[in-house]
Amino acid sequence: MSFFIDGASDVARSSARYGRDALTTMNIIETRLTSDARLSDRTVVRPHPMLVTVRSDRLFAVLAPGSLWDRGREVLRPFAHKLASGEAMLVLIGSPAIGDVTGALNRGLGALVSPDPSSDELYVAIHNVCELLESKARAEARGKWLNRYRYELGELIEIAKAITTERELDKLLSLILEKSRFITGADAGSIYVVEGDDPDPLRRTLRFKLSQNDSVPFDAREFTLPVSPRSMSGYVALHKRPLNIADVYDLPAVSPYGFDRSFDAKIGYRTKSMLCMPLLSRKGEVIGVIQLINKKRAADRKLLSDEDVEDQVVPFDARSEELVGTLGSQAGIALENAVLYTEIHHMLEGFVRASVEAIEQRDPTTSGHSRRVALLTVGLARALERDTAGPYRGVTWTKDDLRELEYASLLHDFGKIGVREQVLVKAKKLYPHELAIIRHRIEIASRSYEVEILERKLRLVQRGARADELVALDQELSSRKAELEAAYAAIVAANEPSVLKGGDFARIEAIARETFTDFSGDVVPLLRSEEVACLSVARGSLTPAEIEEIRNHVVHTYQFLSQIPWGKQFRRVAVIAGSHHERLNGTGYPHRLRAEEIPLQSKMMSVSDIFDALTASDRPYKKAVPVDRALDILGLEVKDQHVDADLVRVFIEARVWTVLEQPGAPHSALAASSR
């Protein structure tokens, strides 16, 4: 095959410029090449009177006379790019007159033959040039493949790092889907999680968790479908092998699964190519399915019409399937870990909730206190992050830090489970049965005086006493009974957990000095020493011994919580909870820690604990204090060096307590603090 760019005129100009001999030589070269049976699988073309090309696929040799290199290199300009890129090489017929062979080598010279080469010489030159071109092409292809392999390997390593460090299930699923779409060039995709542990996989379900689409935004809600071969994802989950479909609208009639086009119609999208890959656990069980949709030629193109789909969408190739399979193995294990982590988290949450319930069952008078303290403390922690003026500016918390703080706050009073219940719920200075005993004792004393008066009356009657003497005895008895009732009334008044005045102590001591003779003839005091000690409590309802018993709940809290394997992220729960009654000046309990020794989280909890104890309206032994008064008392606690001044300042400025005033306040401190 031959053609001339400008026909006869071009031949004439070429003959005049390069010589008739050169033109004759190229005619002979063309004839010998086209008649050589060994080159029958190649295409011989005469693009110019002074050029002959021999093409093999996309690689070809360009034959030209040596004189062309001396006087007409511009003829080679249309091939310059091919020569430079390694898709073509130059074969010169005869050496250039100026001997610039080195320059020719640098510009694509592959062979140099004699001025009148034989067919064999031409064949060998073309064969060697094509072999060299193919070798270069293979080397370049290997280089590109190696670069692509390195790129994909690097991406897989980065993806593996990302998915193995993410523990939140929803975020992990989103990450797995995003990375799978990225490495395959998929326009859209969705992910399912297998639910249920029935040995028969057909009795399990697939939960649709999320969907992503670069072209058409839409809201997707979770739903479930059975694991069955009728759906593509169910088929993959059941058979544990991938599905790679070129066009889901063109499934074979015998296909066990189908494709529902209604969703496409609803959102205005066209699903075409699809790759479904199972996510396997360490034991080889399917725990999820990833579904990739519409592999695109250009990742940045959006599929907004059927024409876009036809132009851009291609089937998922074997390499895509291999990459997603590799990623699926990593993702399956990561997903299994995330599910396990979620289950452990739920188990831990359940344990904490049950523990709080146990505390409140032991001490119903403080029901809700632990949850309120958790809400206040986490709220204060969030506010502290926003503070820019105090010594705590720059303090930040991770989600695990806040969860640790929430757990410690919820369980800060758990040690009360080791305190006697009667002490926990003691609303008065005397226990009810102790007051009943005193009342019974007063009645016995009254009866004792009545018997004594009756005996005295009998003796007077026997002596023939006057009536006024008998009346005097009746008045004495009435007076004595009134005194006993007044004494009991004073005891009842002193039993209230209010602050006693000095005169109240004297009255109780006076009553304690009174005695009576019981039915056995023994002289008995109206009040025993331990009862006097209880009634003489100056503040509240607890004796010093009972206060110490209550204080020991912090020790019990630490001992109990320190036995729980919280893991690294929550390892300080016991220390934080066990230090919330320490004071900055070292007068707190149980260890009398100084300010620098008390964890910041415990200092925050102290503020919340005091505030809630003051403002709680569910305490039967005291009235709730208004917020303003509670804040004043916190100020006094600061002045006494009991709590941290900056924490109280942030607490007040951020109005942290308002989280308790919101309707439907959440049970989770983290949920409240994220509002």
Side-chain angles (χ1 to χ4, degrees):
M1 175 182 179
S2 66
F3 64 90
F4 297 151
I5 299 174
D6 293 324
S9 62
D10 192 33
V11 172
R13 285 196 300 270
S14 297
S15 178
R17 181 169 184 181
Y18 307 111
R20 182 164 296 278
D21 291 342
L23 181 60
T24 301
T25 299
M26 295 312 297
N27 291 336
I28 295 172
I29 295 295
E30 181 185 12
T31 301
R32 289 177 179 174
L33 292 175
T34 53
S35 61
D36 193 334
R38 293 170 294 183
L39 298 176
S40 59
D41 59 339
R42 302 175 190 243
T43 303
V44 179
V45 177
R46 187 84 177 268
H48 186 274
M50 291 299 161
L51 298 178
V52 177
T53 63
V54 181
R55 191 180 191 90
S56 173
D57 295 328
R58 66 183 186 88
L59 306 176
F60 56 92
V62 180
L63 289 83
S67 58
L68 185 73
W69 192 257
D70 297 327
R71 300 190 297 273
R73 295 181 196 175
E74 66 276 5
V75 175
L76 296 171
R77 191 171 299 149
F79 302 94
H81 175 71
K82 300 291 185 182
L83 292 168
S85 65
E87 295 181 47
M89 294 195 81
L90 185 62
V91 178
L92 290 181
I93 312 301
S95 299
I98 59 176
D100 187 16
V101 175
T102 303
L105 285 172
N106 292 334
R107 298 193 181 187
L109 177 62
L112 189 65
V113 298
S114 64
D116 183 20
S118 64
S119 296
D120 288 339
E121 189 176 355
L122 288 172
Y123 173 74
V124 171
I126 292 171
H127 175 79
N128 289 341
V129 162
C130 289
E131 283 288 318
L132 183 57
L133 288 172
E134 289 174 1
S135 297
K136 285 184 177 181
R138 286 193 296 269
E140 288 179 2
R142 283 195 297 269
K144 290 179 181 178
W145 179 88
L146 183 59
N147 289 336
R148 177 65 184 174
Y149 175 80
R150 287 173 177 169
Y151 170 77
E152 292 172 347
L153 180 61
E155 286 298 321
L156 287 174
I157 291 173
E158 291 302 315
I159 292 170
K161 288 179 182 177
I163 65 177
T164 54
T165 54
E166 181 57 64
R167 292 176 298 185
E168 290 191 31
L169 182 58
D170 290 343
K171 288 184 178 179
L172 175 63
L173 293 173
S174 179
L175 188 63
I176 291 171
L177 183 55
E178 176 189 343
K179 297 302 184 181
S180 298
R181 291 174 51 234
F182 174 73
I183 62 174
T184 59
D187 183 61
S190 53
I191 197 164
Y192 299 80
V193 174
V194 176
E195 293 183 339
D197 53 6
D198 194 289
D200 184 358
L202 290 173
R203 295 182 179 178
R204 300 176 189 174
T205 57
L206 280 172
R207 177 171 292 277
F208 173 85
K209 294 295 291 184
L210 74 140
S211 181
Q212 296 173 356
N213 192 308
D214 283 343
S215 298
V216 180
F218 62 93
D219 294 328
R221 296 182 179 180
E222 290 190 13
F223 62 86
T224 59
L225 67 157
V227 173
S228 78
R230 298 186 64 182
S231 67
M232 296 180 187
S233 54
Y235 182 91
V236 169
L238 187 62
H239 294 286
K240 300 183 181 181
R241 62 172 182 262
L243 279 179
N244 192 342
I245 302 169
D247 190 346
V248 294
Y249 282 21
D250 189 25
L251 293 173
V254 295
S255 173
Y257 45 80
F259 180 78
D260 184 3
R261 303 187 187 187
S262 62
F263 186 73
D264 277 7
K266 181 179 178 181
I267 67 171
Y269 190 69
R270 164 64 160 103
T271 300
K272 189 174 183 182
S273 62
M274 182 178 290
L275 175 61
C276 294
M277 184 68 65
L279 303 178
L280 303 178
S281 69
R282 291 179 179 84
K283 296 181 180 179
E285 297 179 348
V286 179
I287 58 175
V289 174
I290 189 166
Q291 199 171 67
L292 302 177
I293 299 169
N294 287 347
K295 178 179 176 65
K296 296 187 293 188
R297 300 179 191 274
D300 59 342
R301 286 287 300 273
K302 292 185 180 297
L303 307 179
L304 303 177
S305 65
D306 289 346
E307 290 74 17
D308 292 333
V309 173
E310 289 302 316
D311 179 58
Q312 284 294 316
V313 175
V314 296
F316 288 90
D317 54 18
R319 185 57 180 163
S320 294
E321 189 172 329
E322 182 182 351
L323 287 172
V324 177
T326 302
L327 176 58
S329 300
Q330 299 171 337
I333 295 173
L335 178 58
E336 183 182 24
N337 290 339
V339 170
L340 180 61
Y341 178 82
T342 301
E343 290 176 352
I344 292 172
H345 174 70
H346 289 163
M347 181 176 65
L348 190 58
E349 291 277 352
F351 162 76
V352 173
R353 285 195 300 270
S355 299
V356 173
E357 289 293 332
I359 299 168
E360 294 182 348
Q361 289 295 324
R362 288 294 312 280
D363 187 7
T365 62
T366 60
S367 178
H369 170 69
S370 296
R371 289 188 177 89
R372 292 193 298 269
V373 169
L375 286 167
L376 291 169
T377 306
V378 174
L380 178 55
R382 289 291 197 192
L384 204 63
E385 282 187 313
R386 300 190 296 269
D387 187 52
T388 59
Y392 299 116
R393 62 182 180 278
V395 168
T396 58
W397 313 97
T398 66
K399 193 166 186 179
D400 281 345
D401 291 336
L402 294 176
R403 186 72 70 184
E404 179 184 60
L405 181 59
E406 181 186 22
Y407 290 159
S409 300
L410 286 169
L411 298 172
H412 75 283
D413 277 344
F414 189 83
K416 287 182 178 179
I417 204 166
V419 178
R420 289 178 299 157
E421 188 172 355
Q422 63 179 9
V423 176
L424 285 176
V425 299
K426 189 179 183 185
K428 310 288 185 180
K429 295 179 182 179
L430 294 171
Y431 295 110
H433 72 276
E434 292 177 325
L435 186 61
I437 289 173
I438 293 174
R439 180 65 199 174
H440 183 63
R441 196 181 299 140
I442 293 290
E443 291 175 354
I444 292 175
S446 179
R447 289 292 183 89
S448 177
Y449 285 123
E450 189 176 343
V451 169
E452 181 184 338
I453 292 298
L454 289 174
E455 288 176 347
R456 288 168 62 186
K457 272 187 177 183
L458 181 60
R459 287 194 295 273
L460 287 176
V461 170
Q462 288 174 345
R463 285 202 317 264
R466 300 185 308 274
D468 60 330
E469 291 180 295
L470 295 177
V471 170
L473 286 177
D474 289 337
Q475 292 175 344
E476 182 182 343
L477 178 59
S478 296
S479 176
R480 185 57 183 154
K481 284 185 174 182
E483 289 176 357
L484 288 173
E485 288 302 320
Y488 182 72
I491 291 170
V492 171
N495 191 40
E496 293 299 318
S498 56
V499 178
L500 288 180
K501 301 176 183 178
D504 295 328
F505 287 113
R507 179 73 175 116
I508 295 299
E509 290 173 355
I511 294 172
R513 288 194 293 270
E514 296 185 27
T515 61
F516 67 95
T517 302
D518 64 12
F519 298 141
S520 300
D522 298 327
V523 178
V524 179
L526 282 179
L527 288 175
R528 294 175 180 173
S529 58
E530 58 270 22
E531 295 166 345
V532 173
C534 290
L535 292 170
S536 299
V537 170
R539 185 188 295 251
S541 63
L542 301 177
T543 66
E546 290 167 338
I547 290 175
E548 188 61 30
E549 184 175 353
I550 289 288
R551 285 182 171 183
N552 278 336
H553 84 276
V554 186
V555 177
H556 298 322
T557 293
Y558 176 79
Q559 290 175 342
F560 174 79
L561 296 181
S562 62
Q563 298 298 313
I564 299 172
W566 293 98
K568 290 182 179 180
Q569 64 268 45
F570 304 140
R571 64 186 182 279
R572 288 171 56 81
V573 165
V575 173
I576 294 169
S579 304
H580 74 280
H581 276 302
E582 299 289 353
R583 294 174 174 174
L584 303 187
N585 60 4
T587 61
Y589 59 89
H591 302 300
R592 298 185 177 274
L593 301 177
R594 304 290 299 184
E596 63 275 8
E597 299 173 302
I598 305 172
L600 173 58
Q601 296 94 322
S602 303
K603 294 177 184 177
M604 294 189 296
M605 198 189 306
S606 296
V607 174
S608 303
D609 192 36
I610 293 171
F611 179 86
D612 186 69
L614 291 169
T615 58
S617 58
D618 53 7
R619 307 294 172 94
Y621 49 82
K622 73 171 187 65
K623 293 181 179 179
V625 172
V627 170
D628 290 344
R629 177 58 182 153
L631 297 179
D632 290 340
I633 294 174
L634 278 176
L636 295 176
E637 293 288 321
V638 170
K639 186 177 295 185
D640 291 337
Q641 298 184 4
H642 292 171
V643 296
D644 190 293
D646 284 286
L647 293 179
V648 172
R649 173 184 60 79
V650 174
F651 186 89
I652 295 173
E653 290 177 354
R655 297 178 61 83
V656 172
W657 63 87
T658 57
V659 69
L660 304 178
E661 301 170 358
Q662 297 174 0
H667 291 291
S668 170
L670 288 181
S673 65
S674 63
R675 287 183 172 183

